[in-house]
Amino acid sequence: MNVVSQLYQLQEVDLALESNEQALSQIASQLGESQAVVSAQAELTLEHQCLEELRRRQHSAEWEIDDLSSKISTAEEKLYSGRIGNPKELASLQHEVEELRARRDQLEDRALAIIEQVELATANVATKSNKLKDLEAEWRRQQQQLSADMEQHKTILSGLNHKRQLLSAQIAPQPVEFYHELKKQKGTAVAKVEQGICRGCRILLPTTELQRARGGNLVQCGSCGRILFLA
Ligand SMILES: [Zn+2]
């Protein structure tokens, strides 16, 4: 194999190394916390807080209703005990019972409305909790896939690095150095020649340059300076 073919192979390995390294850093950036999971957790926490507050209000309304009920019982017991003979006192007690009952009715309506809200919030918590579970499962699956991909790229990279070492060792130091210099200047050091055209700069090459390149000599494109490679 002539030196140009070897340099072209080296370039192929370098390109593969670069693309694998890019893929690896892309994967690394995707590893870690998921924004979707974090916001779903925050939403669920809020919904939980809302439900707790509603339950607190429900219990407090229920306690108040119990309290009123026992007050009503006591007043009614007194009212129907026959112990009160004074009509004015009886009327006032009757009025008191009516007021207590009205207050209890109001509270019962309010408690019912709160219970409806509790049911709604309970359903919301269940929905959001399921959504979070799905997102977490999806995130775990993604992370596992990313870790597997990462391992795969690392294996490929180590294979490529090994191949690169072997290739470099086969080429004389001077062309390798020249290759690196050109690569630094132009991004790609070796340009393929197709139908007499340098693929590096898309210029039609003179016949003399082509002939010299065809012989396997290290020839630079007269236009872009890249090493010409004829497959
Ligand atoms: Zn060129």
Side-chain angles (χ1 to χ4, degrees):
M1 197 188 287
N2 64 52
V3 68
V4 178
S5 301
Q6 286 174 317
L7 288 177
Y8 184 74
Q9 272 198 4
L10 190 64
Q11 178 166 285
E12 293 280 279
V13 172
D14 278 346
L15 286 173
L17 272 169
E18 278 162 27
S19 92
N20 270 281
E21 271 157 9
Q22 266 177 19
L24 201 60
S25 65
Q26 169 85 24
I27 290 167
S29 73
Q30 285 174 281
L31 277 170
E33 216 173 49
S34 145
Q35 198 47 52
V37 170
V38 171
S39 35
Q41 278 166 340
E43 272 183 43
L44 181 60
T45 305
L46 273 179
E47 204 58 57
H48 262 300
Q49 283 167 352
C50 173
L51 179 59
E52 272 168 36
E53 170 61 16
L54 284 168
R55 282 200 174 128
R56 200 190 55 72
R57 282 166 56 195
Q58 183 194 341
H59 291 146
S60 123
E62 282 166 353
W63 285 327
E64 234 180 300
I65 289 166
D66 285 348
D67 187 44
L68 282 171
S69 293
S70 76
K71 276 183 182 152
I72 291 166
S73 298
T74 312
E76 279 179 337
E77 203 208 334
K78 212 168 148 190
L79 188 64
Y80 304 121
S81 66
R83 290 197 302 270
I84 303 165
N86 182 338
K88 235 181 156 179
E89 205 181 323
L90 269 174
S92 143
L93 195 57
Q94 180 75 52
H95 183 68
E96 192 190 322
V97 167
E98 274 162 18
E99 270 193 339
L100 285 169
R101 281 183 177 282
R103 263 174 66 197
R104 190 174 62 178
D105 285 351
Q106 258 185 0
L107 260 175
E108 274 170 350
D109 286 346
R110 208 201 298 168
L112 278 176
I114 295 170
I115 286 167
E116 265 176 40
Q117 284 178 288
V118 165
E119 277 165 7
L120 195 67
T122 307
N124 281 343
V125 164
T127 308
K128 291 201 160 129
S129 167
N130 283 335
K131 185 186 158 196
L132 176 61
K133 270 185 213 151
D134 288 349
L135 282 171
E136 279 173 338
E138 171 67 9
W139 175 78
R140 264 196 298 276
R141 198 191 57 72
Q142 262 178 7
Q143 296 293 302
Q144 273 169 5
Q145 185 59 54
L146 287 171
S147 298
D149 288 352
M150 204 171 202
E151 284 314 305
Q152 208 182 1
H153 280 294
K154 279 181 182 166
T155 309
I156 293 171
L157 274 174
S158 101
L160 285 169
N161 275 317
H162 182 64
K163 195 173 171 187
R164 196 185 193 288
Q165 272 180 355
L166 290 178
L167 266 171
S168 304
Q170 282 167 10
I171 316 168
Q174 220 182 341
V176 175
E177 220 169 276
F178 183 54
Y179 163 86
H180 281 297
E181 222 168 278
L182 267 180
K183 189 173 185 289
K184 214 185 283 171
Q185 284 171 22
K186 302 182 180 294
T188 49
V190 186
K192 234 177 176 179
V193 177
E194 278 166 354
Q195 290 166 330
I197 292 166
C198 165
R199 301 310 292 177
C201 63
R202 298 177 189 277
I203 285 267
L204 188 65
L205 296 158
T207 321
T208 44
E209 261 178 41
L210 274 175
Q211 272 168 351
R212 281 176 54 227
R214 201 164 282 132
N217 301 305
L218 202 153
V219 180
Q220 284 178 266
C221 170
S223 166
C224 69
R226 291 184 177 91
I227 300 163
L228 294 172
F229 171 64
L230 275 85

